[in-house]
C-alpha cells in the first residue's frame, strides 16, 4: 500500500523541477506532509511560516500577485482556519494559489476528531474560481497534481495521510475535470471521490454476485463538475449511491444533489459521516466504526434498486 | 435637544459624536467650555479644501468611514509621493476608500466622471478598493490581511532579486486581528526589511476609542517585541516615511511607523 503523503512529497519534488516559479509554503508540518523533501532540494523556494495558517494563505496570495505559483501544504482541517482569506483574496481575485490539504477525511485515525477533516469539500466547492480535487489514490494524485499546478487559477486538493488504495497505475491517463468510469453497470451508479472509490469497486463485485450492475464513477474533480458524466449516469442507471469520507451534508453528495435536482431529479443515497470521527488504531477500523463499509454501499445500492 | 429635533439625529448619536470628537483630540471640553484644537482646526481646513472631494466620495459609498479616511488621507498621499516605480502600496484598511479614491483623483489616475458614479454596481470604485484600479494589487475590505500579502510580495521580490519596497497602511483598530501579529512575526523572521508598515493611529475604531474597545498600547513596544523597529510620528507623514526607509535600509530590519493624528 502506498502512502498519500510520501507520494505527495515526491510529486512536489518533481513539480519543483518542472515549474521553476513554484514555491512551497509550510505551516510547521513539513515533516508530516513530506514537504521537507522539497525544502531540502529547493531551500530558496520553500517558505516556513510557522503555525499560522491565515498568515500563510495571505502570504501565498502575495506570492501569486508577484507571478509565483505558491503551493500551500498543511493539514486540511487547520487550513480551513484561513477559509475567509481564501474567499476574500484568493477566490475573489482569482489568484494562482494551490492549496493542498493533507490528513483529510478519516485518514488521521490516530489523532481523533479534532484532526479529521470532514467539511473541506463543502467549504471549498462553494468558492468561485476554485478547482476542487480529491484523488482516489496516490497514482491519480500525482497526475492530477501536475495538472492542477499547470492551470492558471486557485485550486484545492484534499488528500489522505497514508492508506492509499491502488486503483490507478502510473500509466493511467486522467484528466482534471473529467470523471473516470472504473466499472460498468446500468442498474445503479456508485459515485465517489477519494479512497472510498475503492470501497465502491469492492461493492461493485459484491453486487455483481447479486446480479446487480453497478457503475463506479470516480469524480476526482468536484469543481468544475463533469456534468456530462453525471447526467449520463442519471439517465442510464436507476439512481446513485454517493460515498465520501466527508460529512454527509454539503460535500460531494451535496454537489450532485444540487445539480441533479435541477437537471434530472434522481434517487440519491448518501454515505458519509454524521457527527465527528474518533481515535482508532487503524484506518479500516474507523471506517467500519462509522459505517463506511462495503456492506453499507451494497445495501444502499439495493435500496436504490427497490425504488 | 433642539439640534437633535432640527437635524433628525438622535440625541444619543450627537452625544457619541461629541465624545468621539473629544477622544480624537479634535475638540477640548473643560469647565463647560468647548474649543477646537489645532488638529481639529486642521481637519476643518482639510474639509474646506481638497477633501471635499473625499466627503463627496464617502457620501456615494454610503457615508461611512469618513473619520478613518480623514486621518488616512495624508498617509496615502505621502506613500504615493514617496513610492518609486515598482514599489507596491497595500491599503490594508480598505475602508479608507474615500481617501484613497480622492488621492488617486488628485494624481490624475481616475477621472471626475468616474467619481460621480462611485458606489454603483458597475463602477470600479466599490466601497472597498478592488483589483483593477491603479495602485491596487488585491481586493481589500477584510481587515488584518494586508501585511501578510505584503510579506508574500516581498518574499517573491527577494527570490527574483528585485529591490522593491512594499508600503502597508494599516488601521490601529485593525491591530486587534490576530493575523496581523502572525504576519508581523513573519516579516521579522524572514528579515523582510523592504516591508514598511504604517499604522494610522487615529485612536478610534468602529465602536469608539481604541483603548476602550481593546487596548492597543503600548503599540511601539508590541511591535518592538516582534522584532520590528518602531517609529512614532505626527505631522508630515512624508518626512517620517522617508526616515523609516532610511532606517530600514541601514538596520536591515522592518520598520513600523506609528502615525498619530
Amino acid at each position: 500500500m502506498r502512502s498519500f503523503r510520501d507520494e505527495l512529497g515526491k510529486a512536489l519534488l518533481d513539480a519543483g523541477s518542472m515549474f521553476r516559479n513554484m514555491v512551497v509554503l509550510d505551516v510547521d508540518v513539513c515533516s508530516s506532509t513530506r514537504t521537507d523533501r522539497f525544502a531540502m532540494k529547493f531551500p530558496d523556494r520553500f517558505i516556513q511560516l510557522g503555525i499560522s495558517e491565515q498568515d500563510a494563505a495571505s502570504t501565498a496570495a502575495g506570492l501569486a500577485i508577484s507571478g509565483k505559483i505558491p503551493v500551500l501544504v498543511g493539514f486540511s482541517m487547520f487550513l480551513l482556519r484561513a477559509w475567509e482569506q481564501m474567499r476574500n483574496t484568493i477566490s475573489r481575485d482569482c489568484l494562482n494559489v494551490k492549496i493542498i490539504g493533507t490528513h483529510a477525511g478519516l485518514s488521521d485515525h490516530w489523532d481523533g476528531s479534532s484532526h479529521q477533516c470532514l467539511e473541506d469539500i463543502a467549504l471549498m466547492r462553494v468558492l468561485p474560481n476554485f478547482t476542487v480535487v480529491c484523488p482516489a489514490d496516490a497514482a491519480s494524485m500525482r497526475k492530477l497534481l501536475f495538472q492542477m499546478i499547470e492551470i492558471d487559477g486557485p485550486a484545492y486538493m484534499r488528500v489522505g495521510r497514508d492508506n492509499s488504495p491502488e486503483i490507478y497505475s502510473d500509466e493511467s491517463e486522467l484528466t482534471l475535470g473529467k470523471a473516470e468510469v472504473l466499472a460498468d453497470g446500468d442498474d445503479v451508479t456508485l459515485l465517489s471521490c477519494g479512497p472510498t472509490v475503492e470501497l465502491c469497486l469492492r461493492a461493485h463485485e459484491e453486487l455483481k454476485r447479486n446480479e446487480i450492475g453497478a457503475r463506479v464513477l470516480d469524480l476526482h474533480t468536484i469543481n468544475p463538475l463533469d456534468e456530462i458524466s453525471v447526467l449520463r449516469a442519471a439517465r442510464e442507471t436507476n439512481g446513485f449511491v454517493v460515498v465520501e469520507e466527508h460529512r454527509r451534508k454539503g460535500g460531494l453528495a451535496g454537489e450532485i444533489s444540487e445539480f441533479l435536482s435541477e437537471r434530472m431529479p434522481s434517487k440519491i443515497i448518501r454515505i458519509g459521516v454524521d457527527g465527528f470521527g474518533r481515535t482508532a488504531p487503524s484506518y479500516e477500523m474507523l471506517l467500519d466504526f462509522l459505517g463506511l463499509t462495503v456492506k453499507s454501499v451494497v445495501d444502499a445500492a439495493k435500496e436504490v434498486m427497490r425504488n | 435637544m433642539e439640534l437633535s429635533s432640527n437635524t433628525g439625529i438622535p440625541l444619543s448619536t450627537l452625544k457619541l459624536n461629541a465624545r468621539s470628537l473629544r477622544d480624537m483630540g479634535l475638540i477640548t471640553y473643560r469647565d463647560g467650555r468647548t474649543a477646537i484644537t489645532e488638529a481639529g482646526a486642521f481637519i476643518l481646513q482639510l474639509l474646506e479644501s481638497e477633501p471635499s472631494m473625499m466627503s463627496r466620495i464617502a457620501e456615494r459609498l454610503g457615508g461611512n468611514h469618513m473619520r478613518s479616511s480623514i486621518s488616512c488621507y495624508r498617509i496615502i498621499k505621502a506613500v504615493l509621493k514617496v513610492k518609486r516605480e515598482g514599489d507596491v502600496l497595500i491599503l490594508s484598511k480598505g475602508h479608507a476608500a474615500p481617501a484613497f479614491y480622492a488621492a488617486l483623483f488628485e494624481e490624475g489616475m481616475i477621472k471626475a466622471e468616474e467619481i460621480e458614479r462611485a458606489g454603483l454596481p458597475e463602477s470600479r470604485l466599490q466601497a472597498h478598493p478592488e483589483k483593477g484600479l491603479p495602485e491596487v494589487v488585491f481586493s481589500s475590505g477584510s481587515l488584518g490581511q494586508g501585511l501578510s500579502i505584503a510579506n508574500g510580495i516581498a518574499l517573491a521580490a527577494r527570490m527574483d532579486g528585485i529591490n522593491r519596497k512594499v508600503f502597508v497602511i494599516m488601521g490601529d483598530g485593525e491591530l486587534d486581528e490576530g493575523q496581523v501579529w502572525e504576519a508581523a512575526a513573519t516579516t521579522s523572521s524572514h528579515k523582510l526589511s523592504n516591508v514598511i508598515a504604517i499604522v494610522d493611529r487615529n485612536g478610534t475604531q468602529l465602536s469608539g476609542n481604541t483603548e476602550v474597545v481593546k487596548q492597543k498600547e503600548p503599540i511601539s513596544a508590541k511591535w518592538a517585541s516582534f522584532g520590528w523597529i518602531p517609529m512614532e510620528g505626527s505631522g508630515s507623514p512624508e518626512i517620517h516615511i522617508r526616515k523609516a526607509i532610511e532606517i530600514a535600509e541601514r538596520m536591515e530590519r522592518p520598520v513600523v511607523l506609528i502615525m498619530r493624528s
Side-chain angles (χ1 to χ4, degrees):
Chain A
M1 183 180 283
R2 287 157 100 181
S3 154
F4 273 114
R5 52 179 174 166
D6 290 346
E7 295 300 320
L8 176 67
K10 284 184 214 157
L12 286 173
L13 264 191
D14 296 339
S17 303
M18 273 176 69
F19 303 96
R20 305 305 296 185
N21 53 348
M22 176 183 143
V23 178
V24 169
L25 291 88
D26 178 41
V27 281
D28 192 30
V29 285
C30 62
S31 61
S32 299
T33 61
R34 308 294 193 246
T35 52
D36 49 0
R37 277 74 166 160
F38 187 95
M40 291 277 280
K41 190 166 176 195
F42 305 109
D44 298 338
R45 290 194 276 143
F46 176 82
I47 301 168
Q48 177 58 264
L49 288 154
I51 312 168
S52 311
E53 293 80 8
Q54 301 171 57
D55 180 39
S58 301
T59 303
L63 286 155
I65 288 167
S66 307
K68 299 290 174 198
I69 308 175
V71 181
L72 168 57
V73 188
F75 286 24
S76 50
M77 186 73 255
F78 307 116
L79 289 179
L80 289 180
R81 292 175 80 118
W83 186 84
E84 195 258 356
Q85 284 77 357
M86 298 182 205
R87 190 265 184 203
N88 262 327
T89 310
I90 299 170
S91 164
R92 200 154 58 113
D93 285 349
C94 194
L95 295 175
N96 195 19
V97 176
K98 315 301 173 188
I99 296 162
I100 302 176
T102 66
H103 297 62
L106 300 164
S107 64
D108 199 9
H109 56 92
W110 277 122
D111 278 322
S113 53
S114 62
H115 283 54
Q116 293 159 0
C117 184
L118 301 169
E119 295 83 7
D120 52 341
I121 296 178
L123 287 162
M124 299 311 293
R125 75 178 178 89
V126 295
L127 295 180
N129 301 318
F130 255 93
T131 297
V132 179
V133 191
C134 176
D137 68 357
S140 59
M141 176 191 69
R142 185 185 173 87
K143 301 270 175 188
L144 296 167
L145 180 72
F146 281 99
Q147 294 176 38
M148 178 176 120
I149 295 172
E150 213 153 13
I151 57 164
D152 187 30
Y156 173 76
M157 178 181 270
R158 97 186 297 237
V159 291
R161 179 182 188 260
D162 299 308
N163 301 82
S164 161
E166 297 202 17
I167 297 167
Y168 297 95
S169 74
D170 293 337
E171 284 71 46
S172 302
E173 298 284 338
L174 288 99
T175 308
L176 199 69
K178 199 177 170 317
E180 289 292 322
V181 180
L182 295 177
D184 283 320
D186 290 329
D187 293 324
V188 59
T189 302
L190 309 180
L191 191 148
S192 185
C193 65
T196 45
V197 167
E198 202 255 347
L199 214 62
C200 294
L201 285 170
R202 281 190 278 147
H204 165 88
E205 292 302 323
E206 178 76 24
L207 287 162
K208 203 194 293 181
R209 283 191 281 279
N210 291 280
E211 297 186 339
I212 294 172
R215 178 178 304 188
V216 177
L217 211 54
D218 173 11
L219 205 96
H220 49 70
T221 310
I222 294 120
N223 255 355
L225 181 65
D226 179 357
E227 300 185 353
I228 293 170
S229 295
V230 176
L231 281 174
R232 187 180 299 139
R235 206 165 41 235
E236 295 173 358
T237 68
N238 293 303
F240 294 82
V241 179
V242 180
V243 191
E244 58 193 315
E245 243 180 80
H246 188 275
R247 199 164 288 300
R248 292 205 310 143
K249 283 185 180 177
L252 180 61
E255 176 73 24
I256 299 301
S257 304
E258 286 169 16
F259 171 67
L260 287 177
S261 69
E262 269 184 1
R263 298 290 296 274
M264 197 173 288
S266 308
K267 174 80 177 175
I268 298 167
I269 295 182
R270 301 166 295 142
I271 295 183
V273 182
D274 292 320
F276 298 97
R278 307 288 300 161
T279 296
S282 83
Y283 171 66
E284 291 75 14
M285 184 191 281
L286 185 56
L287 290 184
D288 284 351
F289 181 80
L290 293 166
L292 277 89
T293 59
V294 174
K295 186 178 181 305
S296 25
V297 179
V298 167
D299 290 349
K302 288 177 180 169
E303 172 73 23
V304 170
M305 293 300 293
R306 270 196 289 276
N307 279 273
Chain B
M1 290 287 255
E2 199 184 320
L3 183 62
S4 175
S5 59
N6 286 347
T7 58
I9 302 169
L11 194 60
S12 57
T13 306
L14 287 174
K15 280 182 177 169
L16 185 72
N17 289 348
R19 218 173 294 135
S20 298
L21 289 173
R22 192 189 56 194
D23 290 345
M24 288 167 72
L26 300 180
I27 56 167
T28 55
Y29 178 77
R30 211 171 288 133
D31 308 325
R33 294 169 67 125
T34 318
I36 291 175
T37 63
E38 201 182 324
F42 177 72
I43 297 296
L44 282 180
Q45 198 188 323
L46 277 181
L47 285 172
E48 280 164 12
S49 57
E50 71 273 351
S52 63
M53 173 57 91
M54 191 157 83
S55 50
R56 266 164 59 204
I57 299 169
E59 210 172 288
R60 284 182 173 76
L61 298 180
N64 290 322
H65 304 308
M66 202 47 204
R67 280 191 304 191
S68 169
S69 284
I70 289 169
S71 62
C72 203
Y73 178 74
R74 292 192 312 149
I75 298 173
I76 295 169
K77 290 275 285 181
V79 171
L80 289 176
K81 193 157 178 210
V82 169
K83 79 188 274 285
R84 299 157 310 170
E85 177 95 31
D87 289 351
V88 178
L89 161 65
I90 296 278
L91 182 65
S92 193
K93 48 174 287 186
H95 54 277
F100 182 65
Y101 297 157
L104 289 189
F105 171 73
E106 276 168 42
E107 298 289 328
M109 287 188 256
I110 50 178
K111 297 200 170 72
E113 303 92 85
E114 204 166 355
I115 299 265
E116 295 309 314
R117 305 191 61 75
L120 294 176
E122 69 276 11
S123 170
R124 284 197 299 175
L125 307 181
Q126 294 289 294
H128 301 89
E130 292 189 6
K131 210 166 87 167
L133 279 168
E135 299 293 341
V136 173
V137 297
F138 80 112
S139 299
S140 62
S142 176
L143 292 174
Q145 303 179 16
L147 186 54
S148 300
I149 294 170
N151 288 339
I153 292 170
L155 284 161
R158 177 187 286 170
M159 285 176 203
D160 295 337
I162 298 169
N163 184 11
R164 158 178 294 156
K165 299 268 182 270
V166 190
F167 299 95
V168 191
I169 303 176
M170 284 185 274
D172 49 1
E174 188 177 359
L175 302 182
D176 289 349
E177 289 282 6
Q179 189 184 343
V180 169
W181 302 100
E182 291 183 2
T186 296
T187 322
S188 55
S189 289
H190 287 274
K191 302 185 173 57
L192 300 173
S193 56
N194 278 356
V195 174
I196 308 276
I198 305 155
V199 176
D200 179 9
R201 182 71 174 118
N202 58 24
T204 185
Q205 61 190 102
L206 200 56
S207 304
N209 184 301
T210 55
E211 301 316 285
V212 176
V213 177
K214 192 171 203 173
Q215 191 183 316
K216 309 290 181 292
E217 296 292 346
I219 289 194
S220 287
K222 286 180 183 173
W223 284 92
S225 72
F226 273 74
W228 288 63
I229 300 172
M231 267 176 66
E232 301 223 12
S234 57
S236 161
E238 191 189 325
I239 293 168
H240 292 295
I241 293 168
R242 289 192 194 282
K243 185 83 188 156
I245 294 170
E246 189 194 309
I247 293 172
E249 281 174 352
R250 188 155 34 95
M251 307 290 284
E252 293 182 342
R253 275 171 64 196
V255 173
V256 56
L257 168 61
I258 292 130
M259 274 309 298
R260 295 185 185 274
S261 59

